[in-house]
Amino acid sequence: NVSILGNALDRGFGIAPIEDHARSIVSLQAVLPSGDVYKSYFRSIGSNLGACYHWGVGPALDSLFSQSNLGIVTEAKFELVKRPEVTSLFFFSIANVEQFRGAVDAMRSLKSDLPLGVGTLKLLSAQQVENTLGRPWWMAKIFRSTATWTGTGVLHCKRGMNQSLKREIAKILRANGLNKFRFVDSRRV
């Protein structure tokens, strides 16, 4: 069992529009070992500004409670974003060292050339895929070969942008020697 708060404090990472879950915490409250209560700056002065600007004034101390035992976080507010009209996953197969180099270059290009639509780029070894997902039927359909590594990414966009962004992603992957890739709409997974 996991919680949204626990995942964020452990710096979880996923396919949500805010892929860095720790970054989605905009304010928190924690009980310190002394029994004192720490509150994020805007929370401590009773302001709602923390909902839209979590840095406050002075040093930002909230991240001290991430992956630590400096206190017990008892409350947190999260930034929420509107659900995208379309979420598509994409996967690409990496069979050798040359393709691995191409995958790193492709991921760099995807992040720099398409920063607003493409996110959650990861490289996973075959063992990581199996440990994380088991042997899902849809992965077996995507890659009939035995890939050493699998690259993944997610696309969040408006419906009218979906096909255009997919074409751009495909162009970048092909330009880097990655010709085995598939897009999967989230409703099919």
Side-chain angles (χ1 to χ4, degrees), residues 132-154:
T132 304
L133 303 172
R135 303 289 269 155
W137 63 268
W138 51 270
M139 280 293 273
K141 283 181 78 172
I142 291 170
F143 300 118
R144 288 174 174 66
S145 67
T146 55
T148 307
W149 289 81
T150 299
T152 67
V154 66

Side-chain angles (χ1 to χ4, degrees), residues 1 18 26 35 39 44-45 60 64 68 76 79-80 82 87 98 100 102-103 114 116 126 157 162 168 170 174-175 186:
N1 294 333
I18 301 175
V26 293
K39 294 181 181 183
S44 70
I45 63 170
L64 291 174
S68 78
E79 177 183 356
L80 300 176
K82 186 178 176 182
T87 298
E98 299 311 316
F100 193 90
L114 305 172
L116 298 178
C157 64
N162 190 33
E168 289 300 312
R174 284 188 187 109
S186 60

Side-chain angles (χ1 to χ4, degrees), residues 85-89 114 118 155-171 174 181 183-185 187-188:
E85 288 180 18
V86 175
T87 298
S88 295
L89 306 173
L114 305 172
V118 177
L155 174 61
H156 298 291
C157 64
K158 295 252 183 212
R159 193 165 314 287
M161 299 168 57
N162 190 33
Q163 291 305 318
S164 173
L165 282 169
K166 284 180 178 178
R167 279 192 297 275
E168 289 300 312
I169 292 167
K171 187 165 60 171
R174 284 188 187 109
F181 57 88
F183 292 93
V184 180
D185 291 333
R187 67 180 178 273
R188 296 181 63 202

Side-chain angles (χ1 to χ4, degrees), residues 81-118:
V81 295
K82 186 178 176 182
R83 181 184 293 238
E85 288 180 18
V86 175
T87 298
S88 295
L89 306 173
F90 61 94
F91 303 88
F92 50 94
S93 174
I94 304 166
N96 55 47
V97 173
E98 299 311 316
Q99 284 189 334
F100 193 90
R101 288 186 187 114
V104 171
D105 291 340
M107 292 169 77
R108 186 179 304 117
S109 293
L110 289 168
K111 275 299 204 188
S112 64
D113 297 349
L114 305 172
L116 298 178
V118 177

